[in-house]
Structures are given as C-alpha cells and as structure tokens.
C-alpha cells in the first residue's frame, strides 16, 4: 500500500512538472545556445578600430589649431 501511494505521488509531481513546462512555453531556446567567442572578439576589434578612427580625427583637429576653447565662469550663467 505504501508503494502505490509513493507511485501516485511521483506521477502527480511529474504531471505538475509537465504542466509547468507547457505553461511557460517549454525550455528557453536561447539558453541552449553556445556563445560564439570568435564573433564576439571580432565585434570588439571592429569597435576598437572605429574608436581608433575617432581618436585620430580628434587628434588631427587638435593638432590643426582650428579648435577654439573658451572657458567661462559657472557663476555668470
């Protein structure tokens, strides 16, 4: 008699687990994906190249002497 109660309890827990999985749409597909380290590094390198290009343009502007900076007192505003 104890075995049948235990088996009934196991079946009930399995049914609850199945209902919970179906209710939320099953396992998350994105969680099963393996991150692509090579693609991440490539994006990082591309971003570093763009950052270097911007820095080159700023350096060229500063070296050209065409930049004018004015300092103002914050109290005057």
């Amino acid at each position: 008699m104890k075995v049948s109660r235990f088996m009934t309890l196991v079946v009930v827990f399995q049914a609850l687990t199945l209902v919970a999985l179906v209710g939320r749409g099953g396992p998350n597909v994105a969680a099963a994906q393996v991150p692509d380290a090579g693609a991440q590094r490539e994006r990082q390198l591309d971003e570093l190249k763009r950052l270097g290009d911007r820095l080159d343009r700023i350096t060229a502007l500063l070296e050209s002497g065409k930049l004018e900076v004015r300092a103002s007192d914050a109290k005057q505003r």
Side-chain angles (χ1 to χ4, degrees):
M1 179 110 49
K2 289 183 180 184
V3 174
S4 65
R5 284 186 184 176
F6 179 72
M7 292 303 289
T8 303
L9 188 61
V10 168
V11 169
V12 168
F13 282 134
Q14 286 179 342
L16 288 174
T17 303
L18 180 64
V19 168
L21 284 175
V22 170
R24 70 173 192 190
N28 190 356
V29 177
Q33 293 177 351
V34 178
D36 187 2
Q40 289 176 350
R41 286 189 186 102
E42 188 172 334
R43 285 193 303 269
Q44 288 174 339
L45 288 174
D46 290 341
E47 186 61 33
L48 284 172
K49 288 176 186 176
R50 284 193 293 272
L51 185 61
D53 292 341
R54 290 178 189 165
L55 199 56
D56 288 341
R57 289 191 307 234
I58 291 171
T59 303
L61 177 65
L62 291 173
E63 289 176 346
S64 72
K66 295 179 181 178
L67 183 67
E68 184 178 321
V69 179
R70 295 182 187 166
S72 64
D73 190 10
K75 295 179 184 177
Q76 291 178 353
R77 292 182 192 189

